[in-house]
PDB file of all heavy atoms in Angstrom:
ATOM      1  N   GLU A 216     109.043-134.839-105.716  1.00 97.00           N
ATOM      2  CA  GLU A 216     107.891-134.688-106.601  1.00 97.00           C
ATOM      3  C   GLU A 216     106.560-135.054-105.931  1.00 97.00           C
ATOM      4  O   GLU A 216     105.518-134.473-106.210  1.00 97.00           O
ATOM      5  CB  GLU A 216     108.094-135.569-107.851  1.00 97.00           C
ATOM      6  CG  GLU A 216     107.128-135.245-108.961  1.00 97.00           C
ATOM      7  CD  GLU A 216     107.337-136.122-110.187  1.00 97.00           C
ATOM      8  OE1 GLU A 216     108.097-137.116-110.118  1.00 97.00           O
ATOM      9  OE2 GLU A 216     106.715-135.819-111.222  1.00 97.00           O
ATOM     10  N   PHE A 217     106.622-136.028-105.025  1.00 96.00           N
ATOM     11  CA  PHE A 217     105.396-136.578-104.428  1.00 96.00           C
ATOM     12  C   PHE A 217     104.947-135.839-103.171  1.00 96.00           C
ATOM     13  O   PHE A 217     103.918-136.159-102.594  1.00 96.00           O
ATOM     14  CB  PHE A 217     105.638-138.052-104.057  1.00 96.00           C
ATOM     15  CG  PHE A 217     106.889-138.212-103.233  1.00 96.00           C
ATOM     16  CD1 PHE A 217     106.845-138.065-101.871  1.00 96.00           C
ATOM     17  CD2 PHE A 217     108.110-138.455-103.850  1.00 96.00           C
ATOM     18  CE1 PHE A 217     108.005-138.165-101.111  1.00 96.00           C
ATOM     19  CE2 PHE A 217     109.277-138.559-103.103  1.00 96.00           C
ATOM     20  CZ  PHE A 217     109.218-138.409-101.727  1.00 96.00           C
ATOM     21  N   CYS A 218     105.740-134.868-102.701  1.00 95.00           N
ATOM     22  CA  CYS A 218     105.522-134.315-101.355  1.00 95.00           C
ATOM     23  C   CYS A 218     104.851-132.951-101.419  1.00 95.00           C
ATOM     24  O   CYS A 218     105.284-132.067-102.156  1.00 95.00           O
ATOM     25  CB  CYS A 218     106.869-134.200-100.651  1.00 95.00           C
ATOM     26  SG  CYS A 218     106.780-133.341 -99.066  1.00 95.00           S
ATOM     27  N   PHE A 219     103.797-132.794-100.623  1.00 93.00           N
ATOM     28  CA  PHE A 219     103.043-131.542-100.657  1.00 93.00           C
ATOM     29  C   PHE A 219     103.850-130.391-100.058  1.00 93.00           C
ATOM     30  O   PHE A 219     103.783-129.256-100.542  1.00 93.00           O
ATOM     31  CB  PHE A 219     101.710-131.724 -99.913  1.00 93.00           C
ATOM     32  CG  PHE A 219     100.586-130.876-100.450  1.00 93.00           C
ATOM     33  CD1 PHE A 219     100.750-130.053-101.560  1.00 93.00           C
ATOM     34  CD2 PHE A 219      99.336-130.913 -99.842  1.00 93.00           C
ATOM     35  CE1 PHE A 219      99.706-129.280-102.051  1.00 93.00           C
ATOM     36  CE2 PHE A 219      98.280-130.141-100.320  1.00 93.00           C
ATOM     37  CZ  PHE A 219      98.467-129.319-101.429  1.00 93.00           C
ATOM     38  N   THR A 220     104.604-130.676 -99.005  1.00 94.00           N
ATOM     39  CA  THR A 220     105.412-129.618 -98.368  1.00 94.00           C
ATOM     40  C   THR A 220     106.353-128.973 -99.397  1.00 94.00           C
ATOM     41  O   THR A 220     106.605-127.768 -99.356  1.00 94.00           O
ATOM     42  CB  THR A 220     106.245-130.200 -97.209  1.00 94.00           C
ATOM     43  OG1 THR A 220     105.369-130.818 -96.274  1.00 94.00           O
ATOM     44  CG2 THR A 220     107.044-129.113 -96.504  1.00 94.00           C
ATOM     45  N   ALA A 221     106.853-129.799-100.311  1.00 95.00           N
ATOM     46  CA  ALA A 221     107.800-129.302-101.311  1.00 95.00           C
ATOM     47  C   ALA A 221     107.230-128.136-102.113  1.00 95.00           C
ATOM     48  O   ALA A 221     107.966-127.262-102.567  1.00 95.00           O
ATOM     49  CB  ALA A 221     108.192-130.436-102.254  1.00 95.00           C
ATOM     50  N   LYS A 222     105.915-128.125-102.259  1.00 93.00           N
ATOM     51  CA  LYS A 222     105.285-127.082-103.085  1.00 93.00           C
ATOM     52  C   LYS A 222     105.401-125.691-102.462  1.00 93.00           C
ATOM     53  O   LYS A 222     105.161-124.691-103.123  1.00 93.00           O
ATOM     54  CB  LYS A 222     103.789-127.396-103.320  1.00 93.00           C
ATOM     55  CG  LYS A 222     103.513-128.780-103.845  1.00 93.00           C
ATOM     56  CD  LYS A 222     103.992-128.983-105.283  1.00 93.00           C
ATOM     57  CE  LYS A 222     103.862-130.425-105.706  1.00 93.00           C
ATOM     58  NZ  LYS A 222     104.955-130.924-106.497  1.00 93.00           N
ATOM     59  N   MET A 223     105.704-125.632-101.165  1.00 93.00           N
ATOM     60  CA  MET A 223     105.888-124.328-100.516  1.00 93.00           C
ATOM     61  C   MET A 223     107.259-123.743-100.812  1.00 93.00           C
ATOM     62  O   MET A 223     107.502-122.568-100.555  1.00 93.00           O
ATOM     63  CB  MET A 223     105.807-124.481 -98.988  1.00 93.00           C
ATOM     64  CG  MET A 223     104.443-124.739 -98.433  1.00 93.00           C
ATOM     65  SD  MET A 223     104.562-125.153 -96.664  1.00 93.00           S
ATOM     66  CE  MET A 223     105.140-123.610 -95.965  1.00 93.00           C
ATOM     67  N   GLY A 224     108.173-124.580-101.295  1.00 96.00           N
ATOM     68  CA  GLY A 224     109.565-124.126-101.398  1.00 96.00           C
ATOM     69  C   GLY A 224     110.137-123.998 -99.987  1.00 96.00           C
ATOM     70  O   GLY A 224     109.463-124.335 -99.001  1.00 96.00           O
ATOM     71  N   ILE A 225     111.356-123.501 -99.886  1.00 97.00           N
ATOM     72  CA  ILE A 225     111.918-123.321 -98.549  1.00 97.00           C
ATOM     73  C   ILE A 225     111.735-121.872 -98.141  1.00 97.00           C
ATOM     74  O   ILE A 225     112.039-120.969 -98.911  1.00 97.00           O
ATOM     75  CB  ILE A 225     113.415-123.733 -98.471  1.00 97.00           C
ATOM     76  CG1 ILE A 225     114.021-123.464 -97.078  1.00 97.00           C
ATOM     77  CG2 ILE A 225     114.266-123.060 -99.544  1.00 97.00           C
ATOM     78  CD1 ILE A 225     113.559-124.369 -96.006  1.00 97.00           C
ATOM     79  N   ARG A 226     111.180-121.652 -96.971  1.00 97.00           N
ATOM     80  CA  ARG A 226     111.000-120.274 -96.490  1.00 97.00           C
ATOM     81  C   ARG A 226     112.065-119.933 -95.441  1.00 97.00           C
ATOM     82  O   ARG A 226     112.725-118.942 -95.534  1.00 97.00           O
ATOM     83  CB  ARG A 226     109.589-120.078 -95.980  1.00 97.00           C
ATOM     84  CG  ARG A 226     108.589-120.245 -97.168  1.00 97.00           C
ATOM     85  CD  ARG A 226     107.167-120.144 -96.757  1.00 97.00           C
ATOM     86  NE  ARG A 226     106.821-118.862 -96.221  1.00 97.00           N
ATOM     87  CZ  ARG A 226     106.432-117.805 -96.954  1.00 97.00           C
ATOM     88  NH1 ARG A 226     106.345-117.912 -98.259  1.00 97.00           N
ATOM     89  NH2 ARG A 226     106.114-116.669 -96.370  1.00 97.00           N
ATOM     90  N   ARG A 227     112.252-120.843 -94.478  1.00 98.00           N
ATOM     91  CA  ARG A 227     113.390-120.653 -93.568  1.00 98.00           C
ATOM     92  C   ARG A 227     113.571-121.874 -92.665  1.00 98.00           C
ATOM     93  O   ARG A 227     112.687-122.726 -92.563  1.00 98.00           O
ATOM     94  CB  ARG A 227     113.251-119.373 -92.736  1.00 98.00           C
ATOM     95  CG  ARG A 227     112.151-119.377 -91.693  1.00 98.00           C
ATOM     96  CD  ARG A 227     112.296-118.150 -90.782  1.00 98.00           C
ATOM     97  NE  ARG A 227     111.217-117.998 -89.832  1.00 98.00           N
ATOM     98  CZ  ARG A 227     111.161-118.582 -88.635  1.00 98.00           C
ATOM     99  NH1 ARG A 227     112.093-119.443 -88.253  1.00 98.00           N
ATOM    100  NH2 ARG A 227     110.130-118.356 -87.827  1.00 98.00           N
ATOM    101  N   ASN A 228     114.727-121.917 -92.009  1.00 98.00           N
ATOM    102  CA  ASN A 228     114.963-122.942 -90.997  1.00 98.00           C
ATOM    103  C   ASN A 228     114.206-122.584 -89.723  1.00 98.00           C
ATOM    104  O   ASN A 228     114.021-121.405 -89.421  1.00 98.00           O
ATOM    105  CB  ASN A 228     116.455-122.986 -90.626  1.00 98.00           C
ATOM    106  CG  ASN A 228     117.268-123.734 -91.653  1.00 98.00           C
ATOM    107  OD1 ASN A 228     116.744-124.567 -92.401  1.00 98.00           O
ATOM    108  ND2 ASN A 228     118.557-123.457 -91.683  1.00 98.00           N
ATOM    109  N   LEU A 229     113.823-123.587 -88.951  1.00 98.00           N
ATOM    110  CA  LEU A 229     113.294-123.313 -87.616  1.00 98.00           C
ATOM    111  C   LEU A 229     114.460-123.129 -86.654  1.00 98.00           C
ATOM    112  O   LEU A 229     115.525-123.727 -86.827  1.00 98.00           O
ATOM    113  CB  LEU A 229     112.414-124.470 -87.138  1.00 98.00           C
ATOM    114  CG  LEU A 229     111.144-124.725 -87.932  1.00 98.00           C
ATOM    115  CD1 LEU A 229     110.284-125.783 -87.232  1.00 98.00           C
ATOM    116  CD2 LEU A 229     110.337-123.439 -88.113  1.00 98.00           C
ATOM    117  N   THR A 230     114.249-122.312 -85.639  1.00 98.00           N
ATOM    118  CA  THR A 230     115.263-122.188 -84.584  1.00 98.00           C
ATOM    119  C   THR A 230     115.143-123.417 -83.677  1.00 98.00           C
ATOM    120  O   THR A 230     114.129-124.133 -83.704  1.00 98.00           O
ATOM    121  CB  THR A 230     115.028-120.929 -83.729  1.00 98.00           C
ATOM    122  OG1 THR A 230     113.756-121.073 -83.071  1.00 98.00           O
ATOM    123  CG2 THR A 230     115.011-119.665 -84.585  1.00 98.00           C
ATOM    124  N   THR A 231     116.147-123.608 -82.855  1.00 98.00           N
ATOM    125  CA  THR A 231     116.095-124.734 -81.906  1.00 98.00           C
ATOM    126  C   THR A 231     114.834-124.646 -81.049  1.00 98.00           C
ATOM    127  O   THR A 231     114.113-125.630 -80.867  1.00 98.00           O
ATOM    128  CB  THR A 231     117.345-124.706 -81.004  1.00 98.00           C
ATOM    129  OG1 THR A 231     118.495-124.727 -81.836  1.00 98.00           O
ATOM    130  CG2 THR A 231     117.371-125.879 -80.052  1.00 98.00           C
ATOM    131  N   SER A 232     114.556-123.458 -80.530  1.00 98.00           N
ATOM    132  CA  SER A 232     113.413-123.354 -79.608  1.00 98.00           C
ATOM    133  C   SER A 232     112.084-123.564 -80.337  1.00 98.00           C
ATOM    134  O   SER A 232     111.136-124.080 -79.745  1.00 98.00           O
ATOM    135  CB  SER A 232     113.433-122.015 -78.877  1.00 98.00           C
ATOM    136  OG  SER A 232     113.250-120.962 -79.790  1.00 98.00           O
ATOM    137  N   GLU A 233     112.022-123.208 -81.613  1.00 98.00           N
ATOM    138  CA  GLU A 233     110.775-123.461 -82.354  1.00 98.00           C
ATOM    139  C   GLU A 233     110.552-124.962 -82.532  1.00 98.00           C
ATOM    140  O   GLU A 233     109.407-125.430 -82.553  1.00 98.00           O
ATOM    141  CB  GLU A 233     110.815-122.764 -83.717  1.00 98.00           C
ATOM    142  CG  GLU A 233     110.640-121.248 -83.612  1.00 98.00           C
ATOM    143  CD  GLU A 233     110.987-120.499 -84.895  1.00 98.00           C
ATOM    144  OE1 GLU A 233     111.709-121.051 -85.760  1.00 98.00           O
ATOM    145  OE2 GLU A 233     110.562-119.340 -85.032  1.00 98.00           O
TER     146      GLU A 233
END
Side-chain angles (χ1 to χ4, degrees):
E216 193 180 10
F217 52 86
C218 173
F219 211 3
T220 303
K222 308 291 173 220
M223 287 171 66
I225 177 72
R226 296 177 63 86
R227 69 170 174 86
N228 281 337
L229 296 187
T230 63
T231 304
S232 65
E233 286 167 340

